[in-house]
Amino acid sequence: MFTGFFYALRRYGLDVSLNEWLTLMEALRLGLHGSQLTDFYELARCVLAKSEADFDRFDLAFAEYFRDVESVRELPAEFLNWLAEAISRREFDKDEVDARFGGGLNLEELKKLLAERLAEQTERHDGGGKWVGTGGTSPFGHGGYNPAGIRIGGPGRQKSAVQVAAERDYRDFRQDSALELRQFQMAFRKLRNLTVKGDGPKDELQLDETIQATCDNGGFLKLEFDRARKSDVRLLVLFDSGGSMWSYSRLCSRLFHAVHESSHFKELKAFYFHNCVYDDLFTTPECWHQESADTKSVLQGLNASWKILFVGDGAMAPSELLSRGGCLDYYRVNDEPGLAWLRRFAAKSVHTAWLNPIPQEQWEYTWGSQTIRLIRKEIPMYPLTIDGLDTALHHLMAPR
C-alpha cells in the first residue's frame, strides 16, 4: 500500500534501495510503527534517510504523499498576529476532548469548516472548541488538544506526522543547498595535506600509534610521539566580481572569508577578475587597475603543486571569451582571447576547478550557456553547493 510513497521518495532525490524498502516493510510487519502515522514517519525516516542531509527531501516527499493540510500562507495576516502568542489553558483529558469535538470529519470537511470559520471570525479567540485560536479543543489553531484538527501557526501540541514533515526543520542540512560560512569552513578542511617536515623535536602525541603500542605492550601505557605535521597545500582562488555576479556577491563573500580564515594552507593567494581572466588580475573586488597584478607574473609564480580554484558564473558574451579586444573595459584591450588565458591556468596545474553559483540544472539554457559550455571543456566545473564544493575539493586533492 506504500508503493506510491517509495516512488515519491525517489522523485525527491532520495536514493532508497530495495533492501532498505524491504527493511521498512519488515519493520511494519513487526508492528514497530505502533499503528500511528507519527510513529511510521519516525520509523521510515530512520530506515530510509541515510543522514541529516536527506531529512528535508524525506519531509517533502512525506508531506506530499500523505497530503499536508496546512495552508498558513493563505491566512490573513491578522489571524497570524492573533496566533503569535498562545495563552496557557488548563489540561484536557481525552474523554473531554472527544466530548467537545466528536471527530469523524475527513480532510475536505475540515477544509470547508475552516473556510467558514475564517469568514465568520472577527476577533482573537483563546480556548474554546469552535474558533481559530490557541489552546482549547478547537480543530483550528495551535497549542490546543484536538487530535484531529488543522494546526495553524505556532508549535503543535499533538505533533502529527504530516505537520512535523511540513515544518521542514532540516532544509539547511541538504547537501545541494547554498552554503553558509560554517559549511564553507568545514568543506575547506578537505584541502589539508599534512606532511612531516623538518628536523625538530618529536613532541606531538600520536594517539593511534600510542593505542597500538600500548596494546602491543601488554596494556602498559607506551606513548608515541612524532614531529608536528604542517600542510603543504598552496591554493590560488580567482573570484569573478561585478556584473552578473552581484546577485551572488553574498555567497561569494562567505566563500572568501572562509578561505582567508583557513589556517591550513602553506600559501594562499586570491585575485579578482571581471567575467574572464585577461592580462591583469585585481587585488580588490572593485577591479581597479591601480590595484592589479600582471597575469603572466602570477602564472610564473605557480607550479604544478598549486591548486587553482575559479569562482564565477561563466556567463558572458561569447566575444569576451573568444575574441581579441573582447574585454568590456573601454580603456583596456586584451591582445589575446580570454579562453587562451584560462587554458594557461589549466595547463599550469591539473588541480584546477571552477565553482559556478548558477544551479547546475540551468547551465544548458541560462543566459551565457554557450560560454559556460566552452569553459567546462577546459576546466572541470562544479555547482557552488555543498555537494559541488565537496566534489571540487576532492578533484583538487586527487593524485595525478
Side-chain angles (χ1 to χ4, degrees), residues 146-191:
N146 195 302
I150 298 176
R151 178 170 62 84
I152 303 171
R157 190 178 294 271
Q158 305 299 329
K159 300 296 285 184
S160 73
V162 177
Q163 293 169 353
V164 172
E167 288 174 359
R168 297 189 63 193
D169 292 332
Y170 296 92
R171 69 181 72 198
D172 291 336
F173 288 84
R174 288 179 59 148
Q175 296 288 1
D176 59 349
S177 63
L179 294 99
E180 298 294 334
L181 178 60
R182 177 62 177 169
Q183 294 167 317
F184 275 126
Q185 293 171 332
M186 295 300 293
F188 271 99
R189 289 188 177 184
K190 296 181 175 67
L191 273 183

Side-chain angles (χ1 to χ4, degrees), residues 4 8 11-12 58-68 162 165:
R11 189 164 60 252
Y12 277 94
F58 179 88
D59 284 352
L60 287 171
F62 192 97
E64 175 191 284
Y65 184 75
F66 292 99
R67 298 182 182 178
D68 178 19
V162 177

Side-chain angles (χ1 to χ4, degrees), residues 37 62-72 74 101 103-116 139-140 146-152 160 162-163 166:
L37 188 59
F62 192 97
E64 175 191 284
Y65 184 75
F66 292 99
R67 298 182 182 178
D68 178 19
V69 297
E70 296 189 81
S71 302
V72 176
E74 300 174 4
F101 187 78
L105 295 181
N106 60 32
L107 176 60
E108 293 303 319
E109 291 170 331
L110 278 172
K111 288 183 176 180
K112 182 179 179 180
L113 189 59
L114 174 59
E116 293 175 358
F140 311 116
N146 195 302
I150 298 176
R151 178 170 62 84
I152 303 171
S160 73
V162 177
Q163 293 169 353

